[in-house]
Amino acid sequence: MPRYQQIARQIRQAIGDGELAADSRLPSSRTMALELGVARATVENAYGELVSQGWLERRGQAGTFVSPSASPTASGANIASSQPQGAPMPFQMGLPALDAFPRALWARLTGRRLRLQTRYDLLMPEANGESTLRQAIADYLRFSRSIDCQPEQIFITAGFQAAMRLVVGTLAKAGDGIWLEDPGYRYVRPVFADAGMALHPVPVDGEGMQIDYGLEHYPEARFALLTPAHQSPLGVALSLTRRHQLLEWASARQSWIIEDDYDSEFRYHGKPLPPVKSLDGPERVIYAGTFSKSLFPALRTAWLVVPQRQVAAFARQSRHLPCTVPILIQQTIADFLREGHFWRHLKKMRQCYGERRVWLEAALAEQGFDVVPQAGGIQLVMRVQGDDRAMVAKGRAAGLAVQALSDWRMTPAGEGGIVMSFTNVTSHEMARRYALKLRQAIT
């Protein structure tokens, strides 16, 4: 374990044991470094990790203090009770590594934007998103994902669900069918159901969505939503044969493919797989992305790349569903992209997630769990025998934010599993502690 993580662990333990009370002041990083015989930067990194996790808080020149929400934890207490208020629960899904985000850099970029703002920046933002951000996304997609698009084809939305509502409002009508991966991302289904669309579950195997099944059972569907680069939650990639098969179906039926590329940047072996959009000769693919997984979810910022021929229709609909992301946030993201910080951050996070996944896989294997191999992503799946929902209920009662694979399915058939994230598992020791807690909870 790196030295700064050892120091952070000792401070957390002191807070948990009541040796450091809430609101108590810690020594300065210089003083602590002299006492421990380490570099000052090592102590700063330890303090920074604890601040990001909610254990400590900085109060300007007054110094660094134990957070008022960090309370002592009795021996053997529930893990959830040891979490600072607002901190993510162990294994919580949908989160990047909060401790690894360059918050100081982000604050500097935001402050610069604030200083440079003119009175015109106080006006209502463009309905389809800030032009500088749309240009920055177009440049990034061109070089990183081989998607050749223009800024006017990009629409910024307040999250993935808002992006799907824009698609539905522009292209769909009640009664239209949509292929959905089974198992698949369950939180977006209400958007389509509320629009009166027919939800068609299509099974997923080792090559991704079974396109043959969709063609046989629901050939008249007008939409298909899928995660081809890294299927959610199983982690498989859609094979090249099925990608071409999907495009042929969409072209022949004049249907629409919605490609959710939610965490394709986080692939640990080789380059990220090319998106279906990069093969889209017929222009039937709507490409969706978000900054929630690559940066942080509080941004509530996603985007769509729509076919050139549909730009006018989406522009009309966006006047009814305008982008609500604050212009300051959009401008800061644009600067983060244009100045190369995004590339460097992704490179750092790929290494970080690869290490953290190994920690958790090893810890789960020590407890006899069977982890499904995956080439990337920010979550993992464990195979289990028996009622996965009952096991998950026990785990959640113990303060572990695990999810049942059965809850991601639209049909009852299929093996059970437990889905969890490893992004905020910051040490091998933490992974072993959480894995042991999960074993104790479900057996």
Side-chain angles (χ1 to χ4, degrees):
M1 185 186 301
R3 187 72 176 98
Y4 81 92
Q5 289 187 351
Q6 296 177 29
I7 296 171
R9 180 185 63 181
Q10 292 166 357
I11 295 174
R12 278 196 301 267
Q13 185 64 44
I15 296 172
D17 293 343
E19 297 173 9
L20 286 174
D23 287 315
S24 60
R25 184 179 183 276
L26 272 69
S28 68
S29 58
R30 188 186 302 277
T31 301
M32 180 72 85
L34 288 173
E35 291 180 357
L36 298 177
V38 298
R40 184 181 179 186
T42 302
V43 177
E44 281 291 342
N45 287 338
Y47 282 4
E49 178 171 298
L50 294 173
V51 168
S52 69
Q53 294 174 353
W55 293 94
L56 303 180
E57 60 181 38
R58 299 190 189 274
R59 300 179 185 175
Q61 295 182 350
T64 304
F65 292 77
V66 177
S67 174
S69 61
S71 57
T73 305
S75 176
N78 193 310
I79 285 182
S81 65
S82 68
Q83 295 293 107
Q85 185 176 359
M89 295 174 64
F91 303 138
Q92 186 168 331
M93 300 273 289
L95 295 178
L98 302 179
D99 62 305
F101 183 76
R103 293 188 301 126
L105 170 62
W106 183 263
R108 194 158 62 246
L109 295 177
T110 305
R112 185 180 68 188
R113 269 295 174 180
L114 276 171
R115 291 190 297 272
L116 295 176
Q117 276 192 338
T118 69
R119 62 181 181 273
Y120 303 114
D121 290 318
L122 305 180
L123 297 172
M124 289 288 290
E126 300 172 70
N128 57 345
E130 170 68 15
S131 59
T132 56
L133 178 56
R134 290 187 282 115
Q135 180 67 63
I137 292 174
D139 293 339
Y140 169 73
L141 293 177
R142 186 174 299 112
F143 291 107
S144 70
R145 307 298 283 137
S146 302
I147 295 175
D148 190 10
C149 62
Q150 300 302 314
E152 62 265 22
Q153 293 177 252
I154 297 175
F155 290 79
I156 311 299
T157 66
F160 182 68
Q161 280 80 3
M164 294 302 99
R165 283 192 287 270
L166 180 58
V167 172
V168 169
T170 306
L171 299 175
K173 61 182 183 297
D176 282 348
I178 180 170
W179 294 357
L180 296 174
E181 295 169 322
D182 189 25
Y185 186 62
R186 55 186 177 138
Y187 301 105
V188 75
R189 295 173 197 161
V191 174
F192 305 116
D194 291 345
M197 300 176 67
L199 310 187
H200 300 318
V202 180
V204 174
D205 60 18
E207 295 185 52
M209 177 184 274
Q210 297 180 20
I211 307 303
D212 283 336
Y213 184 95
L215 293 174
E216 179 181 353
H217 292 83
Y218 317 111
E220 302 295 334
R222 288 207 61 235
F223 293 88
L225 170 63
L226 66 167
T227 51
H230 184 251
Q231 199 274 332
S232 177
L234 298 182
V236 298
L238 188 68
S239 67
L240 185 60
T241 300
R242 291 187 181 180
R243 292 173 188 234
H244 287 298
Q245 194 178 13
L246 181 68
L247 287 166
E248 290 170 5
W249 163 77
S251 178
R253 295 286 184 178
Q254 292 297 287
S255 298
W256 297 103
I257 302 166
I258 306 172
E259 179 177 12
D260 178 11
D261 208 23
Y262 72 106
D263 71 350
S264 62
E265 295 93 351
F266 303 127
R267 187 173 178 85
Y268 314 132
H269 306 290
K271 295 182 179 180
L273 297 174
V276 176
K277 181 66 177 175
S278 66
L279 309 172
D280 186 23
E283 293 193 7
R284 306 306 300 178
V285 179
I286 300 163
Y287 183 84
T290 175
F291 291 110
S292 294
K293 309 296 189 300
S294 55
L295 296 180
F296 54 93
L299 289 174
R300 300 298 300 149
T301 306
W303 73 86
L304 293 172
V305 180
V306 306
Q308 185 68 55
R309 288 176 291 184
Q310 298 299 322
V311 167
F314 273 85
R316 287 192 298 270
Q317 185 64 20
S318 69
R319 299 189 190 106
H320 303 290
L321 296 171
C323 174
T324 58
V325 180
I327 191 169
L328 177 62
I329 294 294
Q330 295 188 57
Q331 291 173 337
T332 306
I333 297 174
D335 292 343
F336 199 82
L337 285 165
R338 292 189 302 176
E339 296 176 14
H341 305 302
F342 191 59
W343 291 88
R344 288 188 287 273
H345 179 62
L346 291 179
K347 181 180 179 181
K348 171 186 172 184
M349 298 316 296
R350 277 191 286 269
Q351 182 178 357
C352 172
Y353 291 155
E355 182 178 46
R356 293 183 179 188
R357 182 184 177 90
V358 168
W359 287 341
L360 187 54
E361 282 184 333
L364 292 170
E366 287 178 6
Q367 298 300 325
F369 291 117
D370 181 14
V371 179
V372 178
Q374 292 186 16
I378 58 175
Q379 62 200 36
L380 56 79
V381 180
M382 287 181 353
R383 299 184 185 93
V384 296
Q385 300 295 324
D387 187 347
D388 56 351
R389 288 190 175 100
M391 296 179 189
V392 162
K394 294 177 181 179
R396 297 188 74 86
L400 303 172
V402 290
Q403 296 190 26
L405 182 59
S406 295
D407 289 335
W408 290 63
R409 297 188 185 278
M410 299 176 66
T411 54
E415 64 179 9
I418 297 179
V419 190
M420 67 188 72
S421 174
F422 52 83
T423 54
N424 287 284
V425 175
T426 58
S427 68
H428 191 193
E429 181 198 35
M430 180 185 289
R432 296 182 70 181
R433 188 167 68 249
Y434 288 172
L436 175 60
K437 190 72 176 179
L438 179 61
R439 169 58 70 190
Q440 293 172 338
I442 68 177
T443 52

